[in-house]
Amino acid sequence: MNQKFIYASIMGVLILAGCASKVEYIDQKDSKSYSSIGLDQHDIEDAASKSVQSLLQSGYVKNLATAKKPKVLAISDVVNDTMQNFSTEELTRKITRDMRNSGKFILTMAISGSGGSTDKMIAQARDARKNDEFNQYTVQEKGTLIAPELSLSGKIVQRNTKVGSKQRVDYFFLLSLTDIKTGLVVWDDEVNIIKLGKNKSVAW
């Protein structure tokens, strides 16, 4: 039989199989029904919510009540020490969003560690100082960037334990807020999420 015909037939079957498969949308309120032993959106949202609550209720933040302006915050390194591949910025952005909404913090995108990201346009716009095609009166002056006062850093740790015929997976979300000027930790918190599943379940 002609090889081209065989190839075309196989591709046709695969395309039909793909068309026949049904993709479903899951409502947010029902999505917990499809949870796995790995970390999912609900876990990250839960960890972020609990961490922010702990921070906003801390003595450090309460003492900021009389502050005239919000503290400038930078996201430092947040290490993903689990067997799953996900961006730690999913966690830090949720946390810093609530921190900014409190009115006591403001986030800089000019500098960050692995737990966040920088806005490349900040540096690129300043490169325009070297380009005669730009009106130099419209280019940002030197010394206008605001340096951060606080640094948010952390680590996410995973621990797997066999419990009889089941597998227990412990996730630890460890976060710290550091005063950059003094190097002192002004707040830290730990959120634990524990899941139990079949022993053959793999958390990655």
Side-chain angles (χ1 to χ4, degrees):
M1 187 178 291
N2 188 291
Q3 286 187 328
K4 289 184 178 180
F5 176 78
I6 296 174
Y7 177 77
S9 299
I10 293 173
M11 290 302 295
V13 171
L14 291 175
I15 290 171
L16 287 173
C19 293
S21 61
K22 184 181 179 182
V23 176
E24 297 181 60
Y25 283 98
I26 301 174
D27 192 280
Q28 180 76 13
K29 67 178 184 298
D30 299 325
S31 58
K32 279 193 174 183
S33 303
Y34 300 90
S35 295
S36 70
I37 200 167
L39 287 173
D40 57 31
Q41 178 190 357
H42 295 288
D43 301 320
I44 293 174
E45 287 181 347
D46 187 46
S49 176
K50 289 179 179 177
S51 295
V52 168
Q53 288 177 24
S54 168
L55 172 62
L56 297 182
Q57 293 171 7
S58 68
Y60 174 74
V61 172
K62 288 179 180 178
N63 288 334
L64 294 178
T66 57
K68 295 181 180 179
K69 57 181 181 179
K71 292 283 188 179
V72 182
L73 169 72
I75 301 173
S76 184
D77 292 337
V78 178
V79 179
N80 176 10
D81 193 18
T82 72
M83 292 185 286
Q84 298 166 76
N85 183 23
F86 68 93
S87 172
T88 55
E89 195 168 356
E90 294 178 46
L91 173 70
T92 58
R93 280 307 188 91
K94 291 180 186 297
I95 293 173
T96 55
R97 186 178 300 119
D98 287 344
M99 290 175 70
R100 286 186 291 111
N101 288 339
S102 73
K104 296 180 173 62
F105 303 92
I106 189 166
L107 178 67
T108 176
M109 293 290 285
I111 184 171
S112 73
S114 64
S117 60
T118 57
D119 187 338
K120 294 180 180 179
M121 190 52 63
I122 294 173
Q124 289 181 23
R126 281 159 175 77
D127 285 340
R129 296 177 189 139
K130 309 170 187 176
N131 191 334
D132 292 338
E133 295 300 322
F134 284 94
N135 182 334
Q136 293 301 300
Y137 288 103
T138 65
V139 175
Q140 296 298 327
E141 299 175 356
K142 289 185 178 181
T144 55
L145 291 178
I146 305 298
E149 302 168 88
L150 299 171
S151 170
L152 178 68
S153 61
K155 190 173 186 178
I156 306 169
V157 181
Q158 175 180 338
R159 183 182 300 150
N160 290 39
T161 308
K162 185 177 179 181
V163 184
S165 61
K166 295 184 178 295
Q167 178 183 192
R168 168 176 165 163
V169 184
D170 294 67
Y171 297 100
F172 303 87
F173 292 78
L174 312 173
L175 292 168
S176 299
L177 190 65
T178 304
D179 185 313
I180 293 177
K181 182 177 181 178
T182 64
L184 299 177
V185 174
V186 296
W187 167 85
D188 73 322
D189 189 52
E190 175 180 328
V191 173
N192 299 330
I193 292 178
I194 304 171
K195 292 189 170 185
L196 188 68
K198 295 181 179 179
N199 198 38
K200 63 180 180 180
S201 300
V202 182
W204 59 38

